[in-house]
Amino acid sequence: HCPSREDLWVREGKILNPEKLFFDEKGSADIQLDCKDSIIAPGFIDVQINGGFGVDFSLATDDFKSGIDLVSQKILSHGVTSFCPTLVTSPPSLYHQVLPQISIRNGGAHGAGILGAHLEGPFISKEKKGAHPEHCLRTFEEGAFQDLLATYGSLDHVRIVTLAPEMKRSSEVIQELTKRGICVSLGHSVANLSQAEEAVQHGATFITHLFNAMLPFHHRDPGIVGLLTSDKIPAGRRVFYGMISDGIHTNPAALRIAHRAHPKGLVLVTDAIAGLGLAPGRHTLGQQVVEIDGLNTYIAGTKTLSGSVATMDTCVRHFQEATGCSVEAALEAASLHPAQLLGIEHKKGTLNYDTDADFLMLNDALYVQATYIAGEQVWRQDAWGM
């Protein structure tokens, strides 16, 4: 698509086909807005965000709900209109306390919409645990799927589960999750390519932060990374993969390799932690203490990266700059692709007629000027007069 100069029509929270309005109803616009040459793009969807602004989704607090409200409010300025609050590996008691408090809800002036939780762990590999606490890691022992249910307590508000596919009995777990409409993501794993392919054949559709917390690409066994060019993906299925495009987690050359190999699967995620939007210093990521130094975040006292403090709009700009891709491609990696991954592209992630009117106005440098949810302006840059 080449960007064209045209109008966007909105009614009752949806994007409207104006022909219907002109010809069937002989109507016209009640309110007209001059967008002053801005780019209008679908709202961003962040499927991996661990917290921000001092709020950690992997900590049970008395005011957990107000914490999630704060984050959903604050990320509107980054262009995020929907997100999946992400929990890193935690003890079962934490999932039992926190998951019932994550309600799936529409966005609005109160904040970005919540699409359901992303549970990253605890069924992941010890060798590739990254910032996840080792003492909380688990395997599928006797009960496989029953063990997972007992750990999480309930799957009612769960949208994505990240697991390591090399674990014994993971195939049946992947099938059970997929049957329930939950997206299975492969990550924090030492899987070889055939294990990864088998997981995809059983229903896995996503890769958690490609290149991070997995075996590095090797030409004889490319591991999970090899899924990007695998010829063993079931017909009609697409594998998506998350990338943290913050200039730290993935070298720009690696970002370019992934994008060129499989552009349609690339999903930008922030993997943001509680320290997002706060001063450098010590913050948390679930059970761990994290040290923030500039854009670098480490488990305190180590050089292990632990999440990021980059905003989604920063990731979009960095991605566009690193790959030299079109503006549309950069914007789609943060909107259309995550919507397709979650199977909600008929509602979100595009500007098609009859979809939710969640959209952004951006300047040519891709800085967000205003954010709209269901056709209502929910945030705008103060300096930007309308």
Side-chain angles (χ1 to χ4, degrees), residues 230-241:
S230 166
D231 56 0
K232 302 212 165 40
I233 308 298
R237 278 265 297 288
R238 185 187 303 180
V239 173
F240 292 90
Y241 58 96

Side-chain angles (χ1 to χ4, degrees), residues 214-233:
M214 60 188 59
L215 292 177
F217 176 87
H218 186 281
H219 57 285
R220 272 196 291 280
D221 194 335
I224 291 179
V225 177
L227 286 176
L228 270 59
T229 54
S230 166
D231 56 0
K232 302 212 165 40
I233 308 298

Side-chain angles (χ1 to χ4, degrees), residues 70-101:
L70 177 77
V71 174
S72 60
Q73 225 293 280
K74 292 272 204 183
I75 58 180
L76 294 173
S77 68
H78 310 157
V80 177
T81 51
S82 317
F83 70 110
C84 294
T86 303
L87 276 65
V88 295
T89 297
S90 303
S93 58
L94 182 113
Y95 297 111
H96 295 207
Q97 271 175 288
V98 166
L99 282 177
Q101 301 190 66

